[in-house]
Amino acid sequence: MVRAAFRAECVRLTDILSEVDDADLDRPTPCPPWTVRELIAHVRTGAGRLADMLAASAPPRAEVDAAGYFGAAKFTPQVDAARIDAARSDAARSEAARSEAAWSEAARSAAARSEAARSEAARSEAARSEAAWSEAAGIDAARAEAARSDAARIGGDGRVAGRAAVAVEFEQAWQAADAAVADAPPDRVIRTRHGDAMSLTEFLRTRVVEVGVHGLDLAAALGRPPWLTPQAEAVIADLLTGGRPAPAGLRWDRLTVIRKTTGRETLTVPEQATIDAAGFRWLVFGR
């Protein structure tokens, strides 16, 4: 169930990312100071962590569950600052790599077209005349310009390419993690980057939270309706509430439970009164 939720939510997010444009990537998010581009980088890194964790040696036993993982130690000012900086650096590195690759491809394309034009002119007897050479030079220049135009369309400026690349990079990251999970025994124990020894299933629950809840943040930043999948809703709501139903008087569906309990949507005064009367509590990140 948990792995299915992880896969479903990652597939949904990949589809969404394939549609974003330059303006979308530079939008602010509800997770300042991150832009959409930087929040995507954070989610991509978080979703892909399992591949490296499963490649490492296994701790002897699990010591932390998913609820414990979201404790206060993960949300200190120092950890938050490191998390913010890491996402911004990852986004910048990806952007620089895409730009360099696009320009290299443009240069190779221009050189190939130019060489083809020279070879064509050399083979042609007419090229021996000054007029033919002038014409060949004109073809050469036109082809080089066409290569530059092609490069701009496919990402010569590093930004158009970035639109498609964010979806591809995220898909590669989560699919590598999913493949590693598929090859691991169900009782596998991993060690997180924070040093927690966790069962694979419990850590995977945190990844569903990471992709799903930050998906709500991305939806808000992009001005789109939430796209949280039913599978992810079930896993996240169960973790947040400890499997307890919300008081009937609230009339919350799972999506509302998630939005309200994670602070993505403000509690009203009547809702707070109902919660207090029922003694309803939930997992609060950082406590």
Side-chain angles (χ1 to χ4, degrees), residues 8-227:
E9 197 62 22
C10 287
V11 168
R12 178 70 60 84
L13 181 54
T14 300
D15 290 342
I16 296 295
L17 296 183
S18 68
E19 301 171 358
V20 299
D21 60 22
D22 288 334
D24 290 332
L25 291 173
D26 290 331
R27 290 189 186 199
T29 71
C31 304
W34 283 335
T35 63
V36 166
R37 188 191 311 275
E38 291 162 349
L39 182 52
I40 291 169
H42 171 69
V43 176
R44 179 184 69 239
T45 300
R49 288 194 192 283
L50 265 170
D52 288 340
M53 291 177 182
L54 286 168
S57 59
R61 62 186 177 278
E63 299 171 350
V64 177
D65 62 9
Y69 175 85
F70 289 110
K74 308 300 191 303
F75 297 90
T76 65
Q78 295 83 359
V79 173
D80 279 343
R83 184 183 296 117
I84 290 168
D85 289 345
R88 302 186 89 171
S89 296
D90 287 349
R93 280 195 298 270
S94 292
E95 190 72 5
R98 288 192 292 267
S99 180
E100 182 178 354
W103 277 115
S104 296
E105 178 61 27
R108 286 193 296 270
S109 178
R113 290 175 189 240
S114 180
E115 180 61 28
R118 285 194 294 269
S119 297
E120 181 180 342
R123 285 194 301 269
S124 172
E125 187 170 346
R128 288 197 295 268
S129 71
E130 182 178 350
W133 276 112
S134 296
E135 180 179 358
I139 292 172
D140 198 354
R143 289 182 175 178
E145 179 60 30
R148 285 191 291 271
S149 297
D150 287 348
R153 284 194 297 273
I154 67 171
D157 61 0
R159 296 177 61 77
V160 178
R163 292 203 305 268
V166 291
V168 173
E169 290 168 352
F170 176 69
E171 184 175 52
Q172 290 173 339
W174 77 257
Q175 287 187 345
D178 183 64
V181 171
D183 290 339
D187 59 349
R188 178 69 150 86
V189 177
I190 55 92
R191 191 171 299 281
T192 74
R193 70 188 182 96
H194 301 286
D196 303 311
M198 300 181 67
S199 75
L200 174 57
T201 299
E202 284 296 292
F203 184 73
L204 195 56
R205 292 176 78 193
T206 72
R207 300 307 88 191
V208 177
V209 172
E210 185 84 14
V211 179
V213 174
H214 277 319
L216 297 179
D217 298 326
L218 288 169
L222 296 171
R224 298 188 181 209
W227 54 72

Side-chain angles (χ1 to χ4, degrees), residues 275-286:
I275 289 166
D276 291 342
F280 182 56
R281 296 294 181 265
W282 55 81
L283 174 66
V284 178
F285 300 152

